[in-house]
Amino acid sequence: MDGTIVTIGEILVEIMATTLGEGFLEPQPLIGPFASGAPAIFIDQVGKLGAAAAIVSAVGDDDFGTLNLERLRRDGVDVSAVAVLPGAATGSAFVRYRTDGSRAFVYNMRDSAAGRIAATPEAEVVLHAAAHLHVMGSGLPMPAVHGMVSAAIPALKAKGGTVSFDPNIRPEMLRDPSGRAALDRVLAATDLFLPSGEELMMFAGAGEENAAIAALLQAGVREIVLKRGAAGASHFDSNGRTDMPGFVVEEVDPTGAGDSFGATFLVCRRFGLGIEESLRYANAAGARTVTIKGPMEGTSTFAELDAFIAGATVRSL
């Protein structure tokens, strides 16, 4: 594998309540800050696996920004295109689990440094050198991110580069005509599509999995990896389907599992591993992540994934 894997998007910290409940309407104990942000988790996992990795983003000139930059640098990520903005606060998310396992969030994103990501000269250098661009749908509503993605993809494709796409979106974005158009433009250039179950149907406009897969492959997507959570994952391409069961683990914190999964599958394929082995490593990365509190705390090296697989129990298909 030659060249750098690049992503664009938010970097933030996550702070978690240690009690179960509906939100943050009363004082309660908290734990954190943890380095976070879906693109940041993804690219951290890429770096941990030994692949060339870079992110375009922005943080504040504060402790939360420093925490993230030090973590990403330590794990091998090029942060030269992460702007440090004096006077801006690094993005944050306060998270509290409900009794049913769902989560309540309080975000500071729009008015944070993450809301001021821009096409800086440093960003242009990193994107020009990219061999692969990973697009997170959560970042596309930001005009600067959308603009950089739209400009980078044609140039990348012209030199033989590739694109992966994790929708990671709220359903209302698909109902907005401009939002839907932006997502569809990225999908049209996508080589590797990484949806979860409901996202597959929303993008394909089909009510059944096989029909959705067929429509997306017909539209030009080369590989589809359908994330099935604890059940594992399925891979689809022109040669057929490969299913891989997940691992039995005790869930501590699910945040970041899908990002670690996608990064691991991508790196494995770019390192030349086969589909089954890539899926097994990706499932292990996602499963190991949920056993550790903190969204980026469970990113893994290949040695850590090998040790996890050796001691883990595989679910039945």
Side-chain angles (χ1 to χ4, degrees):
M1 178 186 71
D2 295 320
T4 303
I5 297 170
V6 177
T7 194
I8 309 170
E10 68 275 11
I11 293 174
L12 60 141
V13 293
E14 188 168 304
I15 298 167
M16 302 179 194
T18 61
T19 59
L20 298 178
E22 290 299 314
F24 293 92
L25 297 177
E26 68 282 329
Q28 58 202 271
L30 304 171
I31 185 172
F34 294 106
S36 190
I41 298 165
F42 171 90
I43 208 67
D44 189 79
Q45 178 62 74
V46 171
K48 286 282 281 284
L49 293 173
I55 183 170
V56 176
S57 190
V59 297
D61 186 13
D62 55 25
D63 287 352
F64 292 166
T66 300
L67 177 155
N68 273 284
L69 292 178
E70 288 182 350
R71 172 60 183 266
L72 291 167
R73 286 193 192 102
R74 186 188 78 198
D75 291 343
V77 178
D78 175 0
V79 295
S80 62
V82 178
V84 179
L85 304 180
T90 300
S92 62
F94 287 77
V95 186
R96 191 179 190 193
Y97 283 87
R98 301 185 179 100
T99 54
D100 64 0
S102 63
R103 291 170 288 175
F105 291 92
V106 175
Y107 285 108
N108 167 31
M109 294 298 295
R110 184 183 61 186
D111 298 323
S112 74
R116 305 184 195 179
I117 297 171
T120 62
E122 293 82 2
E124 292 178 5
V125 169
V126 163
L127 289 168
H128 179 74
H132 181 93
L133 178 66
H134 180 71
V135 180
M136 287 282 187
S138 60
L140 290 177
M142 291 185 277
V145 173
H146 180 214
M148 280 187 279
V149 167
S150 299
I153 286 177
L156 180 66
K157 289 284 187 171
K159 63 181 183 182
T162 49
V163 174
S164 53
F165 181 27
D166 185 337
N168 191 26
I169 56 164
R170 296 180 298 275
E172 56 265 28
M173 189 175 175
L174 281 171
R175 293 193 290 268
D176 173 66
S178 60
R180 178 69 199 228
L183 294 166
D184 285 342
R185 283 193 292 272
V186 173
L187 185 63
T190 294
D191 299 285
L192 170 62
F193 188 43
L194 294 155
S196 299
E198 66 278 4
E199 293 168 339
L200 174 70
M201 306 302 178
M202 289 191 294
F203 271 84
E208 188 269 328
E209 183 177 298
N210 290 336
I213 294 295
L216 290 168
L217 292 175
Q218 181 66 31
V221 178
R222 288 185 0 204
E223 292 184 85
I224 301 167
V225 178
L226 182 59
K227 295 176 283 186
R228 303 186 186 276
S234 300
H235 176 277
F236 305 86
D237 63 12
S238 60
N239 295 317
R241 169 177 178 160
T242 304
D243 295 310
M244 184 62 60
F247 295 94
V248 178
V249 294
E250 182 176 347
E251 182 179 293
V252 173
D253 180 10
T255 305
D259 307 315
S260 294
F261 174 99
T264 302
F265 184 83
L266 172 65
V267 170
C268 286
R269 293 294 281 155
R270 289 180 64 80
F271 279 166
L273 277 63
I275 292 169
E276 288 193 4
E277 190 174 10
S278 298
L279 284 174
R280 186 175 296 108
Y281 271 125
N283 281 344
R288 185 174 182 272
T289 295
V290 308
T291 67
I292 301 171
K293 185 174 289 293
M296 203 183 289
E297 304 311 299
T299 55
S300 308
T301 64
F302 274 115
E304 288 169 332
L305 293 178
D306 285 334
F308 175 87
I309 292 169
T313 300
V314 178
R315 292 183 182 272
S316 300
L317 275 175

